[in-house]
């Protein structure tokens, strides 16, 4: 019986995780759940999974939940989420809080020696060197939940990274694959939220449309698999059937495929090194009929160049890329800036950043705060 | 230093194997080479690789080679090939003799405890139960060289076969993929020998065009991976980029890809469990642009149904399928029968066979001889 704490249980990954767990009640026990503020969903999850502890990030929502007198310990604030991530009787922490808010709880879970099923890529994007060093020191396994990284993890299956020539991340191309660079100027949040293959949260769907999500995944892969940035490539694969590939030194490529369904990578992470039966519907390749591949258009999608640049400059730069992007995506969703302004905001913020080594979490967090403020300034200028 | 004996060194697989070895002279030492009758090529291989022993199946060609007074021990006949397959100082035997002639030397190598790099699928098709039982008894590893089986072997990478839902063999569809069933009536050997993706021997190229090669591979996979016949599928994939796939119980599929180049699977088998650098040119998926998949047309290609039927009936039936097919392909290449008559000959031979258990090699060999004779009778009737 694996004892789990799910950070971000009311988000898209959290819900899918609970669905996988509900099908395997004899294998998994939910010890803790955490949510930002969706207490109505959290309440029904409490009823179904009977956790010992829940944590609600938003203090007043935590109070509202407490008033319901449920048979569960209710924590609040970031401290509460961190406590839920580090409970002594938890074996594995599913890190699925969207965005940079997931960093500190994930780091705390690593420090507490928990096996991590990682969906919060921002934890590695912002503080990869710190988290991986802590994981190495404590012998903590970090198993990816992102479909691309799960694909690579499945293709590697314990093989020596020295035998890898190249990791090839596939990208659907997002909502605007067919549009020209100039057409992108006028797209709306509603257009961008209409992802062709995956049903995901709002932030990540916008990041898919800008390809920034793929850029963040390049950074995630860099840390997770300890592979030089030159060995990480991106290819556009609109069908989202091949979730990523590994090219080995002999020229052989292994690819992992399935129908696009997050329950696959979630289940793989939860039951690793074993597989669980009937997680996803079978993929029928003759129904799919064809898989296509194209080079990403770097002019249309500056995100990729920005992320490779951020990785090469290292230190706090990837964190600044991520935090300025969070601010810019929020501004786009609030119709303050245009779609193409998102990457311009990121690029301008990066240009003004003086890179620090980012060896302490304080340095990382202050770079993140600086980046959000700087991005906000740039957004304000863009508006006026 | 791995010490190798190459059975069938002058054939297509043999030549590719020697090319791989010539690039890694510090890793491999050629102890023995065997050939049917191409002594001019064998002579140049002797000069280049300096083996201790060669065996020439054809007695008079062996005599001709002996007259050249080369600094190598020259054996002849099947006994000679078997001796070359079982030399004490050999670690690994590359079994690459085309067709049923490879059976006895391969079996002898297994009995002698040699690791087998297996290209001669007929050994398993004819006597899978005997060979696998001997291999199990002696702890002998049989590593596939067939590109499809190498792909599956790479995708499995030591995983439990219990976690496999399905093996999916890919088939190029051969030379006549675009032709209708009625157009196939009049195709010539020259048409059939023109394979779109792979440069192979004559027999296997015809088997690709009838899809019998894929049928034989289904039987090979059945024995090699110890998987029920119901879990082996075939899909047409004309580009020959994905060499085969494994579907796991959770719905996840692993696929192995590369440019079509036999040096890939050969090198993998020779250096397993490691990989060697720069064996094949890199595969550029954006140049390939698309991979397509379709169901095989069982009416147009009766071979697949025949092989599944032969596997289900078991015992000596797969051997009869293989040997009658060898006779029929020969007759087609000699323009005695039409292309579509090949599978009719096999089907009629199978219909007249009374299945025996095939638990001894004598029973298998006599079924093989019976099948060739019966097929010859049917071919004669077809001609007249």
């Amino acid at each position: 019986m694996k004892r789990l704490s799910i950070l971000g249980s009311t988000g898209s990954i959290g819900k899918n995780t609970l669905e996988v767990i509900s099908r395997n009640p004899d294998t998994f026990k939910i010890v803790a759940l955490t949510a930002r503020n969706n207490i109505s969903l959290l309440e029904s999850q409490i009823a179904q999974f009977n956790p010992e502890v829940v944590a609600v990030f938003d203090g007043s929502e935590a109070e509202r939940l407490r008033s319901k007198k449920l048979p569960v310990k209710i924590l609040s604030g970031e401290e509460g989420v961190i406590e839920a991530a580090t409970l002594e009787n938890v074996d594995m922490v599913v890190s699925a809080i969207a965005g940079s808010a997931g960093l500190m709880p994930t780091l705390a879970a690593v420090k507490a020696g928990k096996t991590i099923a990682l969906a919060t890529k921002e934890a590695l994007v912002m503080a990869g060197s710190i988290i991986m060093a802590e994981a190495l020191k404590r012998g903590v396994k970090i198993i990816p939940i992102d479909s691309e990284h799960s694909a690579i993890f499945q293709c590697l299956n314990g093989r020596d990274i020295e035998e890898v020539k190249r990791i090839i991340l596939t990208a659907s191309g997002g909502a605007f694959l067919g549009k020209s660079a100039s057409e992108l100027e006028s797209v709306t949040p509603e257009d961008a939220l209409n992802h062709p293959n995956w049903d995901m949260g709002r932030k990540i769907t916008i990041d898919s449309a800008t390809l920034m999500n793929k850029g963040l995944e390049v950074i995630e892969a860099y840390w997770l698999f300890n592979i030089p940035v030159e060995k990480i490539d991106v290819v556009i694969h609109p069908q989202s059937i091949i979730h990523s590939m590994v090219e080995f030194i002999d020229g052989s490529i292994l690819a992992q495929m399935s129908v696009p369904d997050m329950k696959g990578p979630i289940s793989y992470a939860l039951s690793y090194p074993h597989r669980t039966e009937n997680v996803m519907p079978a993929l029928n390749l003759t129904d799919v009929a064809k898989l296509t591949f194209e080079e990403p258009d770097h002019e249309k999608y500056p995100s990729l160049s920005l992320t490779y640049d951020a990785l090469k400059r290292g230190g706090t730069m990837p964190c600044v890329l991520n935090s300025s992007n969070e601010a810019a995506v929020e501004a786009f969703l609030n119709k303050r800036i245009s779609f193409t302004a998102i990457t311009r905001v990121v690029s301008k913020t990066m240009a003004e950043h003086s890179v620090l080594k980012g060896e302490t979490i304080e340095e990382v967090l202050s770079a993140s705060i600086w980046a959000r403020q700087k991005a906000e300034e740039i957004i304000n200028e863009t508006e006026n």
Side-chain angles (χ1 to χ4, degrees), chain A:
Chain A
M1 186 80 107
K2 255 182 210 167
R3 300 173 64 86
L4 303 176
S5 174
I6 318 288
L7 313 182
S9 69
T10 57
S12 168
I13 297 291
K15 286 188 281 185
N16 271 301
T17 302
L18 290 176
E19 195 175 328
V20 169
I21 287 166
S22 69
R23 294 183 198 167
N24 299 279
D26 298 337
T27 316
F28 303 109
K29 160 84 183 102
I30 297 291
V31 177
L33 299 174
T34 86
R36 185 172 189 81
N37 54 24
N38 185 350
I39 61 162
S40 62
L41 177 54
L42 185 60
E43 199 179 334
S44 74
Q45 292 178 344
I46 292 167
Q48 189 181 350
F49 294 98
N50 195 27
E52 296 165 16
V53 175
V54 299
V56 181
F57 183 85
D58 183 306
S60 57
E61 292 301 314
E63 271 317 305
R64 283 223 298 143
L65 192 63
R66 280 196 189 99
S67 71
K68 305 200 176 200
K69 310 283 180 206
L70 301 172
V72 60
K73 183 171 173 189
I74 298 172
L75 306 168
S76 67
E78 188 172 60
E79 323 80 69
V81 176
I82 287 174
E83 192 177 330
T86 55
L87 292 167
E88 185 144 15
N89 61 345
V90 161
D91 305 312
M92 178 184 253
V93 171
V94 178
S95 164
I97 294 173
S100 53
L103 170 58
M104 294 308 286
T106 304
L107 178 59
V110 172
K111 283 185 171 172
K114 309 302 184 193
T115 299
I116 309 290
L118 185 72
T120 302
K121 56 174 76 75
E122 288 81 358
L124 290 182
V125 170
M126 296 172 75
S129 70
I130 296 170
I131 287 188
M132 295 313 288
E134 289 288 347
L136 189 66
K137 195 159 78 185
R138 288 162 219 275
V140 162
K141 271 206 207 70
I142 301 184
I143 307 171
I145 281 187
D146 240 356
S147 62
E148 292 79 359
H149 302 76
S150 177
I152 292 163
F153 188 65
Q154 292 181 50
C155 291
L156 286 173
N157 190 24
R159 283 180 182 279
D160 194 338
I161 199 78
E162 295 297 313
E163 293 199 334
V164 173
K165 187 151 81 190
R166 205 163 53 115
I167 276 175
I168 307 164
L169 295 167
T170 54
S172 68
F176 304 133
L177 182 61
K179 287 207 192 306
S180 69
S182 65
E183 285 174 306
L184 287 186
E185 292 290 343
S186 56
V187 296
T188 65
E190 291 71 26
D191 297 332
L193 288 171
N194 185 21
H195 193 279
N197 305 329
W198 295 97
D199 179 20
M200 305 178 292
R202 286 157 60 91
K203 161 73 166 47
I204 192 172
T205 303
I206 303 301
D207 283 346
S208 287
T210 60
L211 247 68
M212 183 59 88
N213 184 49
K214 210 51 53 180
L216 300 179
E217 287 174 3
V218 168
I219 303 175
E220 185 184 4
Y222 172 86
W223 289 114
L224 211 44
F225 302 113
N226 189 25
I227 189 167
V229 55
E230 302 78 26
K231 293 188 174 181
I232 310 174
D233 271 359
V234 171
V235 66
I236 303 289
H237 167 51
Q239 298 82 21
S240 296
I241 295 294
I242 293 183
H243 301 311
S244 279
M245 298 174 251
V246 175
E247 181 182 332
F248 294 94
I249 53 173
D250 57 359
S252 175
I253 291 179
L254 290 186
Q256 187 266 338
M257 315 182 203
S258 72
V259 295
D261 182 339
M262 285 308 298
K263 287 190 284 299
I266 289 169
S267 170
Y268 191 76
L270 294 184
S271 39
Y272 178 81
H274 302 292
R275 291 182 187 268
T276 305
E277 246 172 309
N278 298 323
V279 174
M280 296 178 283
L283 169 66
N284 188 331
L285 276 171
T286 58
D287 284 350
V288 175
K290 70 174 181 186
L291 306 177
T292 65
F293 306 92
E294 47 191 282
E295 296 288 350
D297 178 342
H298 288 275
E299 205 179 328
K300 188 171 143 190
Y301 298 115
S303 297
L304 281 181
S305 314
L306 288 172
T307 47
Y308 278 95
D309 185 42
L311 254 187
K312 281 171 191 156
R313 296 173 69 188
T316 47
M317 193 55 99
C319 171
V320 165
L321 167 121
N322 179 67
S323 297
S324 60
N325 179 61
E326 287 191 355
V329 169
E330 241 170 74
F332 169 66
L333 286 171
N334 294 328
K335 308 205 175 184
R336 294 171 62 199
I337 60 172
S338 72
F339 180 77
T340 49
I342 296 172
T343 47
R344 285 197 295 273
V345 168
V346 173
S347 172
K348 285 180 184 169
T349 309
M350 284 173 64
E352 298 210 23
H353 182 58
S354 308
V355 181
L356 297 171
K357 284 191 178 163
E359 282 169 347
T360 64
I361 200 68
E362 292 72 24
E363 222 171 69
V364 166
L365 292 177
S366 80
S368 170
I369 291 166
W370 175 89
R372 284 193 150 266
Q373 286 170 342
K374 178 56 67 182
E376 194 56 40
E377 281 173 32
I378 297 166
I379 290 163
N380 280 329
E381 287 162 22
T382 309
E383 281 184 306
N384 304 328

